[in-house]
Amino acid sequence: MAELPLHPAAQDLLFREARTANTFTAEPVTEEQVQAVYDLVKYAPTAYNQSPLRVVLVRSAEARGRLVDLMDAGNRPKTEAAPLVAILAADNEFHEELPSLLPHFPQAKDLLFADRTVREESALLNATLQAAYFILGVRAAGLAAGPMTGFDFPAVQKEFLDDDHTPLMVVNMGRPGPDAWYPRSPRLAYDQVVTTV
């Protein structure tokens, strides 16, 4: 196997040893930690640098209660107990920021993304890509991430977002607690995934 420049401990932290956390300690996740995560993941690639990911941090007990009620039953206890919960969403009006995000091609806003359906498809794909980087950023901060799609999507959109934002996932964040991990599930082998033509 080829040796990678990234230190093996970092490889473990981000990939091999990282798993979805199901329990968390009470140690808080600070605003500074979240800012540090964002300062890493903002460099994720997106088409036309559109950067459509938007993050709603659910910190207050009142907001947490509203969100827990919208989670599937199996996800409620861990969402209730996580020190911080993030709702990741795609901004379907991302094109409004394109003139500043893509200064060498500001006309992309109107030439490529004037149509709402086109924007929604592009926002979904690119925000999902950013969400994967967000999970890696949480891991890079030494925290555990518990991404979930088991919730009432329309209700979460209505309660925490608006018609211009599509929820993608809910991510519990914090230090892993006791028995945080389920056993590692199998993965496909290289030759099951990669084909050379």
Side-chain angles (χ1 to χ4, degrees), residues 38 41-55 89-131 164-166 168:
Y38 177 72
V41 305
K42 67 184 178 184
Y43 296 111
T46 57
Y48 298 97
N49 200 35
Q50 63 188 250
S51 307
L53 181 70
R54 302 295 180 264
V55 181
D91 182 358
N92 298 307
E93 297 297 309
F94 68 84
H95 68 311
E96 296 296 343
E97 304 293 339
L98 279 181
S100 61
L101 291 174
L102 201 65
H104 62 281
F105 186 25
Q107 61 270 37
K109 172 182 182 267
D110 298 314
L111 284 177
L112 302 177
F113 297 109
D115 182 77
R116 172 73 179 220
T117 301
V118 170
R119 288 198 307 274
E120 288 177 352
E121 291 174 358
S122 192
L124 178 63
L125 173 64
N126 287 280
T128 301
L129 177 61
Q130 286 184 283
D164 290 330
H165 294 80
T166 303
L168 302 173

Side-chain angles (χ1 to χ4, degrees), residues 63-175:
R64 180 74 60 100
R66 288 187 287 133
L67 179 59
V68 167
D69 288 344
L70 303 177
M71 303 300 293
D72 290 355
N75 290 332
R76 288 177 187 163
K78 52 191 170 186
T79 302
E80 197 166 32
L84 182 61
V85 183
I87 301 169
L88 306 189
D91 182 358
N92 298 307
E93 297 297 309
F94 68 84
H95 68 311
E96 296 296 343
E97 304 293 339
L98 279 181
S100 61
L101 291 174
L102 201 65
H104 62 281
F105 186 25
Q107 61 270 37
K109 172 182 182 267
D110 298 314
L111 284 177
L112 302 177
F113 297 109
D115 182 77
R116 172 73 179 220
T117 301
V118 170
R119 288 198 307 274
E120 288 177 352
E121 291 174 358
S122 192
L124 178 63
L125 173 64
N126 287 280
T128 301
L129 177 61
Q130 286 184 283
Y133 273 82
F134 183 87
I135 293 165
L136 286 174
V138 171
R139 293 172 176 177
L143 302 171
M148 301 168 292
T149 55
F151 59 89
D152 185 333
F153 277 71
V156 165
Q157 182 178 31
K158 182 178 179 183
E159 191 70 29
F160 293 95
L161 302 165
D162 58 34
D163 291 341
D164 290 330
H165 294 80
T166 303
L168 302 173
M169 65 185 69
V170 171
V171 181
N172 293 329
M173 301 166 55
R175 302 277 180 199

